[in-house]
């Protein structure tokens, strides 16, 4: 009789970790305790996902808002600063804006519209169209925004008016809000430009450089040098950070590769199975209702073991069943499909058999699965154990 169970995903509870805790030992012990309680078996190529937040917390990778303000003043001379294209987020960006306000500079806050880089909307698109606004080339002042869209414009999920909220994080009149999508508009307001978008930051900086911008830094260049008494991330700086308290933020974890490799070694010593290990942050999925792309981190996975590199190499079962094998009866079809899978090419890129399969990095797919399983609230399962992800219909 053939197997009836394919991929199984489990959220694994762990202690609430603090700075200085041994992340490797806690992950290993939590997995072994879960296995003992649930009675599942470890197998080669099972996947362990560890949320980035517990890695950063054990590292003590925090930085104060005042430290951020000090570094910004060191990088930008003068009394004004453009903050260009940040996302709309209380958790992700509000603390950074508070830190920028501590510099005492006049802030020109340029927001993308009708939505930010990850899909948070500042306005009703229907009203934008009715007003004949072209978001590609029109610049809106805050007065324009209020006249067209209302004195209060709440985000449909959070209930926050982000324009009003962001202005409330600084002194009165310290922040001037502009809505635009052309980064070159920034040069009309200040020579100092802090590029605050995430995934398009390199393109934004290149456009500004071609336009003659003199002093441009991006968020990944702030808190990106090693310091003894404060957090840092050499690769992504402030990107991927979260609000930790009213006066400090938690940075994206650093030096994760040795951690995943050590967990892999320890689990092999204790189980005899070679598991694949990854650290994950935001999943790379999009909410079909709110239109929000759930990826405010710079990457889905900052570190993973070697077996998680690459993309899936799968045939599309239903396509093959409806075309090449559609003349077979049920029993013949099952046998032929298994044979087809076992004999598939090592690289199915652009081949008809793979039509409609998911052309994404394995870590992006797995990270999304992990993020959806662990959630971002009170589930208490920062470790995800995935069995059978690399199995297929022909696996016994």
């Amino acid at each position: 009789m053939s197997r009836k169970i394919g991929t199984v995903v489990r959220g694994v509870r762990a202690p609430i970790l603090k700075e200085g805790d041994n992340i490797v030992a806690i992950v290993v012990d939590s997995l072994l305790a879960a296995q003992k309680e649930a009675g599942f078996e470890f197998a080669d190529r099972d996947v362990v996902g560890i949320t980035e937040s517990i890695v950063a917390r054990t590292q003590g990778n925090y930085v104060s808002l005042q430290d951020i303000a000090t570094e910004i003043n060191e990088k930008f001379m003068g009394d004004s600063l453009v903050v260009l294209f940040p996302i709309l987020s209380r958790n992700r960006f509000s603390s950074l804006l508070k830190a920028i306000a501590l510099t005492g500079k006049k802030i020109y806050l340029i927001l993308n519209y009708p939505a930010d880089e990850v899909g948070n909307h500042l306005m009703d698109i229907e009203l934008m169209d009715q007003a004949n606004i072209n978001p590609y080339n029109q610049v809106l002042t805050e007065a324009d925004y209020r006249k067209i869209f209302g004195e209060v414009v709440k985000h449909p999920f959070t209930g926050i008016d982000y324009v009003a909220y962001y202005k409330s994080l600084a002194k009165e009149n310290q922040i001037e809000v502009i809505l635009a999508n052309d980064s070159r508009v920034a040069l009309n307001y200040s020579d100092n430009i802090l590029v605050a978008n995430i995934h398009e930051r390199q393109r934004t900086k290149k456009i500004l450089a071609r336009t003659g911008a003199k002093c441009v830094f991006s968020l990944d260049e702030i808190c990106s040098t090693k310091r003894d008494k404060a957090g840092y991330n050499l690769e992504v700086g402030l990107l991927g950070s979260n609000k930790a308290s009213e006066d400090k933020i938690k940075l994206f974890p650093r030096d994760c590769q040795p951690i995943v490799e050590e967990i892999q070694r320890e689990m092999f010593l204790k189980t005899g199975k070679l598991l694949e290990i990854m650290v994950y942050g935001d999943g790379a999925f999009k909410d079909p209702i709110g239109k929000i792309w759930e990826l405010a981190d710079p990457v889905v996975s900052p570190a993973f073991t070697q077996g998680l590199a690459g993309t899936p190499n799968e045939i599309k079962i239903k396509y093959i069943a409806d075309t090449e094998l559609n003349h077979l009866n049920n029993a013949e079809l099952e046998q032929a499909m298994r044979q087809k899978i076992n004999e598939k090419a090592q690289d199915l890129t652009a081949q008809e058999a793979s039509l409609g399969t998911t052309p994404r990095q394995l870590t992006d797919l797995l990270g999304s699965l992990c993020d959806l399983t662990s959630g971002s609230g009170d589930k208490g399962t920062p470790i995800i154990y995935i069995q059978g992800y690399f199995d297929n219909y022909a696996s016994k």
Side-chain angles (χ1 to χ4, degrees), residues 1-167:
M1 187 175 179
S2 62
R3 259 176 56 184
K4 297 300 180 186
I5 303 297
T7 303
V8 176
V9 185
R10 289 181 170 90
V12 177
R13 290 183 177 175
I16 298 175
L17 285 85
K18 296 182 178 180
E19 182 176 353
D21 286 343
N22 187 329
I23 184 73
V24 173
I26 289 172
V27 169
V28 170
D29 290 346
S30 297
L31 287 167
L32 294 174
Q35 186 268 343
K36 184 177 180 180
E37 177 183 298
F40 60 82
E41 296 296 326
F42 294 109
D44 291 332
R45 296 210 77 192
D46 284 353
V47 179
V48 178
I50 306 149
T51 183
E52 59 82 18
S53 63
I54 64 171
V55 180
R57 293 184 71 194
T58 59
Q59 292 174 338
N61 205 16
Y62 297 91
V63 64
S64 73
L65 303 193
Q66 187 56 60
D67 284 340
I68 296 171
T70 298
E71 183 171 345
I72 289 174
N73 272 332
E74 290 171 353
K75 283 182 161 61
F76 296 103
M77 301 296 106
D79 57 5
S80 67
L81 175 66
V82 170
V83 179
L84 185 61
F85 300 157
I87 65 171
L88 308 176
S89 173
R90 289 172 294 171
N91 178 42
R92 295 288 189 168
F93 187 71
S94 67
S95 292
L96 301 186
L97 186 55
K98 284 175 67 176
I100 296 166
L102 290 176
T103 64
K105 299 180 188 297
K106 172 71 175 182
I107 300 168
Y108 297 96
L109 185 63
I110 302 182
L111 303 176
N112 291 117
Y113 78 97
D116 69 8
E117 184 182 25
V118 295
N120 291 291
H121 277 75
L122 272 173
M123 59 187 62
D124 184 326
I125 294 180
E126 290 294 327
L127 288 178
M128 183 186 77
D129 291 342
Q130 290 172 18
N132 292 317
I133 295 172
N134 184 342
Y136 295 102
N137 58 27
Q138 283 186 251
V139 177
L140 303 180
T141 65
E142 184 182 352
D144 296 330
Y145 175 65
R146 293 304 183 192
K147 181 179 179 180
I148 298 166
F149 300 101
E151 290 302 314
V152 178
V153 183
K154 293 183 178 181
H155 187 282
F157 284 177
T158 66
I160 300 295
D161 182 319
Y162 278 98
V163 170
Y165 173 61
Y166 276 178
K167 291 187 69 175

Side-chain angles (χ1 to χ4, degrees), residues 190-253:
S190 177
D191 292 328
N192 295 323
I193 304 171
L194 178 60
V195 173
N197 54 1
I198 304 165
H199 308 293
E200 294 293 321
R201 64 188 185 277
Q202 298 301 343
R203 178 172 182 263
T204 300
K205 290 166 69 176
K206 287 177 182 177
I207 292 171
L208 290 169
R210 288 197 298 267
T211 312
K214 296 293 189 289
C215 187
V216 179
F217 291 93
S218 49
L219 290 179
D220 58 321
E221 297 174 292
I222 311 295
C223 297
S224 61
T225 56
K226 190 172 183 179
R227 296 177 290 180
D228 292 331
K229 295 183 179 180
Y232 63 91
N233 190 304
L234 298 177
E235 296 178 343
V236 297
L238 289 175
L239 292 179
S241 61
N242 299 87
K243 180 177 180 177
S245 69
E246 290 305 314
D247 61 358
K248 68 178 181 180
I249 63 168
K250 177 192 69 62
L251 298 177
F252 209 52

